[in-house]
Amino acid sequence: VSQLAGLGLFENVDVEVRPIREGADMAKQGAHVIFRFEDKSWPVVRSFKVDDGSWTEGMGYANARRPKHLPRDIEERASTVLQSGGRLTVNKLAEAKKIIERHYHNKGQVFG
């Protein structure tokens, strides 16, 4: 739990363990484990850019070809997600990442 909280992606991570007891049979005893994640949010995104500046051959791609620059329409779709609905959250970051990765995957640039 402390490692998840230390990632900086969540405001708070909490865990609750609720014991389950069903009679005297130890084989039927256990626990419910509940994780609660409180989203961290950042100020509204004002600009967005994708930069492949540190890419080296074979790094992160199964077919070891340098990816082409991100087309403007894909960049705009990711930017729209990041700028929608106010403050930036982990969910918005994940959604924008999926848009970008899907584009590269469809072009044969499979992430390793």
Side-chain angles (χ1 to χ4, degrees):
V1 174
S2 62
Q3 286 181 332
L4 287 170
L7 291 174
L9 299 176
F10 305 101
E11 195 67 41
N12 187 37
V13 180
D14 195 18
V15 64
E16 179 182 347
V17 180
R18 295 181 184 169
I20 301 171
R21 292 184 181 83
E22 294 185 18
D25 186 354
M26 291 297 285
K28 292 185 178 179
Q29 294 185 9
H32 287 288
V33 179
I34 303 166
F35 286 93
R36 289 188 188 87
F37 297 88
E38 184 182 330
D39 277 346
K40 185 172 189 173
S41 65
W42 296 274
V44 175
V45 173
R46 299 285 182 217
S47 66
F48 170 75
K49 177 183 174 187
V50 174
D51 181 12
D52 66 352
S54 62
W55 194 91
T56 58
E57 291 300 316
M59 182 181 84
Y61 296 95
N63 59 4
R65 289 189 324 235
R66 184 176 187 83
K68 294 185 170 90
H69 290 286
L70 194 64
R72 185 75 185 138
D73 65 312
I74 302 297
E75 187 174 325
E76 287 173 356
R77 283 178 49 208
S79 182
T80 298
V81 166
L82 294 173
Q83 294 174 346
S84 67
R87 296 179 64 84
L88 179 63
T89 64
V90 172
N91 290 335
K92 288 181 186 179
L93 289 171
E95 191 175 340
K97 177 180 178 268
K98 284 181 193 175
I99 290 169
I100 294 165
E101 285 183 347
R102 188 177 313 118
H103 163 75
Y104 284 125
H105 184 268
N106 291 343
K107 298 292 184 185
Q109 302 287 331
V110 181
F111 289 83

